[in-house]
């Protein structure tokens, strides 16, 4: 085989995401070799990709069609399938070859695999890919983590297929070492859960609290999408609400009220608990899905429905804006904490910038977040950024009024209430942790610190 007959990159796994990324790579003129084990998926991909790519008959054949240092993009279901494909591929790879895992892989798995492969000199890049099917086809946001030289091997091909912002920058970056790319993608998804949840709460309040008809709600979302809350999720909220069932009426009214989840929101919440980072809006969004999933319990327990509310649409807008910003601040805080622990070298402005186009979280807010974190000293809370504080000063009164109206009428708004609880906690000088310490020391002699003396103290808390 001459050098010119080698492909530049191999793609393993041609399900929806893999097939669309392969099409995107082919469109960019990247010579690629592909392999899919599943016959049906392979046939489906063959009808799209045809002879624009080289078809390998297995991992060994795919590896043989790549010149060292080889680059292989794995687009297989996260979990055991990744280990299994890596096991098959490894005998045909050598030192300096690069494997890119483009699945929604848990960062701990990526770190483990990086260590394991490193023993053979094979480098693994954990690549967060966001944007769904459409993004994969036309330009996803790509969040990479791993060694610099490994990234340099695949950066040209991946940058070519990534989404671009209006200023022309590619949303494709090595964010840091190790599993940082997959961790950032996990947190991206956690924030995605939170933003979807607050939009769902706003929809519920408009539909069932304010009694607005579906076209009016779609107009509200479309209107919000013109201003500071513009973003992909707000945009598609308008479309989803407006979609009609072919049999008549809003399609949403025919959808079973039980939401699925594949685990990334849960991982983000678990990481927040592990690192002790307050990210309640992300966690509440996961718990909300758990409540929604308990459909038969809800039916058995159904009490009287919430009553009408008089929240203004403007206050609801403030509530959505404040909650969305707070969910981002929580997620970015979580990334900072994980980065401090792992030493990946992730910069938060880079994270905000890579989310500006292509991904599910793309929104006008990202430019402002990037600029705000650029101006902050490392490790400072996003809440200390003047621009973001101004934003919250404008929107928090609406959030407070929206929550008051919701809870009085009997609507559960966990994203909104957790966001406000986070803000009020984070900005309070003295909190009742003194009381918690008193109780802990009373029942368990756990000790407490005093603000007027050094050291750990213990007291007789018998009330005398
Ligand atoms: C993206 C999405 C994508 C997906 C997840 C979350 O960034 O393109 O986050 O990764 O939608 O699978 O889905 P669940 O809601 O099913 O957990």
């Amino acid at each position: 085989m001459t050098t010119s007959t080698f492909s530049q990159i191999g793609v393993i796994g041609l399900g929806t995401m893999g097939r669309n990324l392969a099409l995107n790579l082919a469109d960019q003129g990247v010579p690629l070799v592909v392999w899919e084990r599943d016959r049906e998926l392979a046939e489906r991909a063959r009808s799209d990709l045809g002879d624009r790519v080289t078809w390998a008959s297995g991992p060994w054949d795919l590896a043989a069609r790549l010149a060292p240092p080889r680059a292989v993009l794995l687009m297989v279901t996260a979990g055991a399938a990744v280990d299994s494909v890596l096991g098959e591929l490894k005998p045909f790879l050598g030192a300096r070859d690069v494997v890119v895992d483009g699945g929604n892989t848990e960062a701990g798995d990526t770190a483990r695999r990086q260590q394991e492969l490193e023993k053979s000199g094979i480098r693994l890049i954990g690549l967060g890919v966001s944007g769904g099917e459409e993004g994969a086809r036309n330009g996803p946001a790509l969040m990479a983590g791993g060694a610099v030289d490994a990234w340099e091997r695949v950066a040209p091909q991946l940058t070519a297929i990534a989404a671009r912002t209006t200023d022309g920058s590619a949303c494709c970056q090595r964010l840091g070492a190790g599993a940082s790319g997959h961790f950032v993608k996990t947190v991206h998804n956690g924030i995605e859960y939170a933003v979807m949840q607050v939009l769902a709460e706003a929809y519920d309040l408009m539909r069932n609290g304010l009694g607005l008809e579906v076209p009016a709600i779609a107009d509200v979302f479309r209107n919000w999408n013109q201003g500071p809350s513009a973003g992909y999720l707000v945009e598609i909220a308008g479309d989803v609400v407006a979609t009609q069932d072919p049999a008549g009426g809003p399609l949403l009214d025919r959808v079973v009220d039980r939401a699925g989840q594949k685990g990334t929101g849960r991982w983000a919440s678990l990481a927040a608990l592990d690192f002790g980072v307050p990210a309640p809006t992300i966690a509440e969004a996961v718990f909300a899905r758990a409540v929604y999933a308990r459909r038969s319990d809800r039916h058995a327990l159904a009490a009287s429905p919430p009553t009408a509310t008089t929240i203004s649409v403007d206050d609801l807008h403030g509530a959505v804006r404040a909650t969305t910003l707070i969910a981002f601040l929580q997620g970015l805080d979580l990334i900072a904490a994980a980065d401090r622990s792992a030493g990946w070298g992730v910069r938060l402005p880079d994270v905000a910038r890579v989310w500006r186009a292509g991904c599910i979280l793309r929104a006008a807010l990202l430019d402002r977040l990037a600029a705000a974190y650029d101006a902050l000293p490392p490790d400072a809370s996003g809440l200390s950024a003047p621009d973001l504080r101004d934003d919250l000063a404008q929107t928090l009164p609406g959030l407070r009024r929206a929550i008051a109206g919701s809870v009085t009428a009997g609507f559960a708004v966990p994203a909104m209430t957790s966001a406000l609880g986070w803000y009020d906690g984070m900005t309070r000088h003295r909190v009742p942790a003194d009381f918690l310490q008193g109780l802990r020391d009373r029942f368990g002699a756990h000790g407490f610190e005093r603000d007027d003396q050094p050291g750990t103290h213990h007291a007789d808390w018998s009330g005398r």
Side-chain angles (χ1 to χ4, degrees), residues 192-403:
E192 172 187 303
Y193 274 51
V195 177
M196 288 167 68
Q197 180 60 31
V198 75
L199 291 171
E201 291 169 13
Y203 163 73
D204 186 25
L205 287 165
M206 286 193 269
R207 187 93 197 266
N208 301 307
L210 303 179
L212 296 187
E213 297 295 340
V214 155
I217 300 174
D219 282 347
V220 170
F221 284 128
R222 287 174 178 152
N223 192 22
W224 290 354
N225 195 41
Q226 302 309 310
S229 38
Y232 176 68
L233 285 169
V234 175
E235 176 194 328
I236 63 169
D239 296 344
V240 164
V241 167
T243 302
Q244 292 289 303
D245 184 18
L251 181 54
L252 279 183
D253 289 357
R254 301 277 62 80
V255 177
V256 173
D257 57 345
R258 189 166 46 204
Q261 54 175 312
K262 297 192 195 72
T264 44
R266 181 177 148 264
W267 297 340
S269 307
L270 286 171
L273 289 170
D274 283 344
F275 289 113
V277 171
T281 311
I282 293 173
E284 280 291 0
V286 181
F287 286 133
R289 291 200 196 183
V291 171
Y292 299 159
R294 303 279 290 263
R295 197 162 180 255
S296 52
D297 284 346
R298 289 190 288 105
H299 287 184
L301 297 167
S304 40
T307 56
T309 62
T310 52
I311 304 166
S312 75
V313 170
D314 278 350
D315 281 350
L316 217 42
H317 191 197
V320 168
R321 277 180 62 189
T323 303
T324 300
L325 171 55
I326 286 170
F328 271 98
L329 295 180
Q330 292 175 9
L332 290 166
D333 237 19
L334 175 53
I335 291 170
D339 183 63
R340 277 194 296 277
S341 158
W344 291 321
V346 174
R347 289 187 66 253
L348 297 185
D350 292 345
V351 174
R353 285 201 175 87
V354 94
W355 288 346
R356 285 184 305 158
C359 71
I360 306 296
L361 288 182
R362 61 187 185 264
L365 175 62
L366 268 319
D367 275 316
R368 295 180 44 223
L369 280 170
Y373 279 95
D374 262 336
L376 285 177
D379 295 340
S381 162
L383 268 180
S384 53
D387 178 40
L388 306 181
R389 287 181 78 91
D390 285 353
D391 209 288
L392 286 171
Q394 277 176 38
T395 55
L396 281 168
L399 176 61
R400 290 186 196 283
R401 287 190 293 266
I403 290 174

Side-chain angles (χ1 to χ4, degrees), residues 27 32 66 101 114 119 141 154 173 208 250 268 275 285 290 294 328 351-352 364 383 390 392 419 424 444 449 452:
D27 282 353
L32 71 155
L66 293 163
D101 174 9
Q114 282 173 331
K119 291 179 196 155
V154 290
Q173 194 172 339
N208 301 307
F275 289 113
R294 303 279 290 263
F328 271 98
V351 174
L383 268 180
D390 285 353
L392 286 171
D424 285 340
E449 295 168 294
D452 55 353

